[in-house]
Amino acid sequence: MSDPREGLTVTHRRYIPYSHAHYAGDLVDGAYVLGLFGDVATELCVRTDGDEGLFASYSDVQFRAPVRAGDVLETTAVLARAGTRSRAMDFEARVVCRGRPDKGESAAEALPEPIVAVTATGTVVVPAPGG
């Protein structure tokens, strides 16, 4: 029997400032995106359990495309499975806008199709019901 909360989705969008560029080409390190996944996981736990939860693990993290300063990144968490205390979630980060310094210092564009940059699964633990 599945939990009615399964499938609940939370999405955040965030502009990535140039101060977060870590590598040549204005690349942002992968840990930055994992932190954003933690943010959407927290909101998902608040919505499902009334608690922020505690991240236990990430698994199957895939860095599929670069994330750059100047991007607008959309991060999504979907509740895949709800156990008694654990919550398995699927994550995806998509670049929806990208800076275009080749066209001007502050030029940017909304992408016609989002670029899937990072995917992962993770497990969050919440307090036992009534505890």
Side-chain angles (χ1 to χ4, degrees), residues 3 13-14 48-49 87 94 129:
D3 187 300
R13 282 192 176 180
R14 179 173 297 168
T48 58
D49 295 280
R87 307 289 177 259
R94 294 171 295 280

Side-chain angles (χ1 to χ4, degrees), residues 37-55:
F37 286 164
D39 291 345
V40 292
T42 297
E43 182 181 345
L44 191 55
C45 286
V46 168
R47 291 184 177 280
T48 58
D49 295 280
D51 190 273
E52 293 181 356
L54 181 62
F55 232 108

Side-chain angles (χ1 to χ4, degrees), residues 41-80:
T42 297
E43 182 181 345
L44 191 55
C45 286
V46 168
R47 291 184 177 280
T48 58
D49 295 280
D51 190 273
E52 293 181 356
L54 181 62
F55 232 108
S57 67
Y58 281 110
S59 62
D60 193 34
V61 176
Q62 300 285 320
F63 297 99
R64 300 174 180 269
V67 175
R68 293 189 168 92
D71 286 349
V72 174
L73 200 62
E74 181 179 84
T75 54
T76 300
V78 178
L79 183 62

Side-chain angles (χ1 to χ4, degrees), residues 4-112:
R5 298 172 293 182
E6 291 174 1
L8 181 64
T9 301
V10 170
T11 300
H12 291 181
R13 282 192 176 180
R14 179 173 297 168
Y15 172 79
I16 302 174
Y18 281 84
S19 62
H20 283 66
H22 193 71
Y23 299 105
D26 291 323
L27 290 175
V28 175
D29 64 54
Y32 182 86
V33 178
L34 295 181
L36 297 178
F37 286 164
D39 291 345
V40 292
T42 297
E43 182 181 345
L44 191 55
C45 286
V46 168
R47 291 184 177 280
T48 58
D49 295 280
D51 190 273
E52 293 181 356
L54 181 62
F55 232 108
S57 67
Y58 281 110
S59 62
D60 193 34
V61 176
Q62 300 285 320
F63 297 99
R64 300 174 180 269
V67 175
R68 293 189 168 92
D71 286 349
V72 174
L73 200 62
E74 181 179 84
T75 54
T76 300
V78 178
L79 183 62
R81 185 186 54 76
T84 304
R85 293 189 54 225
S86 66
R87 307 289 177 259
M89 298 178 191
D90 294 323
F91 299 96
E92 188 172 84
R94 294 171 295 280
V95 178
V96 296
C97 299
R98 177 150 276 170
R100 291 294 308 267
D102 58 313
K103 292 188 172 189
E105 190 174 312
S106 61
E109 66 183 358
L111 300 178

